[in-house]
């Protein structure tokens, strides 16, 4: 694996993990808004969560493609 391939894999992994942490934090925030009777704010947070899930899924696809290319190259 080249140095660049390793950097790409590592960067994608870090990005995916950071998104998961952000999603978890936003889920807690959404729950807090719902408990406080603020459904509009909770819905807005939910929309953001959904967008982050899409981004996370795209990054996972890219990560898996990079992983496959790396194994095909070797």
């Amino acid at each position: 694996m080249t140095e660049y391939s390793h950097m790409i894999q590592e960067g994608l992994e870090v990005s995916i993990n950071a998104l998961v942490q952000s999603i978890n934090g936003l889920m807690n925030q959404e729950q807090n808004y719902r408990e406080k009777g603020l459904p509009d704010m909770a819905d807005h947070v939910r929309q953001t969560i959904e967008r982050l899930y899409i981004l996370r899924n795209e990054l996972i696809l890219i990560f898996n493609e990079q992983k496959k290319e790396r194994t095909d190259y070797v």
Side-chain angles (χ1 to χ4, degrees):
M1 172 168 43
T2 69
E3 182 180 337
Y4 295 120
S5 296
H6 181 71
M7 288 172 39
I8 291 167
Q9 286 287 127
E10 192 174 295
L12 287 168
E13 217 169 341
V14 167
S15 297
I16 291 165
N17 288 332
L19 278 171
V20 169
Q21 289 177 359
S22 296
I23 289 167
N24 289 340
L26 286 168
M27 290 174 86
N28 290 334
Q29 186 179 41
E30 177 193 16
Q31 182 180 351
N32 287 338
Y33 284 147
R34 294 207 189 278
E35 288 172 357
K36 292 178 181 177
L38 302 167
D40 291 341
M41 292 181 81
D43 290 343
H44 178 70
V45 172
R46 172 50 55 181
Q47 289 173 353
T48 301
I49 291 168
E50 295 301 324
R51 291 171 60 201
L52 290 176
Y53 270 125
I54 292 168
L55 182 57
R56 184 208 61 172
N57 291 342
E58 287 297 317
L59 286 175
I60 289 170
L61 289 174
I62 294 168
F63 178 82
N64 289 333
E65 287 172 8
Q66 291 289 318
K67 202 168 159 182
K68 183 181 180 323
E69 287 176 14
R70 188 183 77 218
T71 56
D72 287 349
Y73 181 73
V74 177

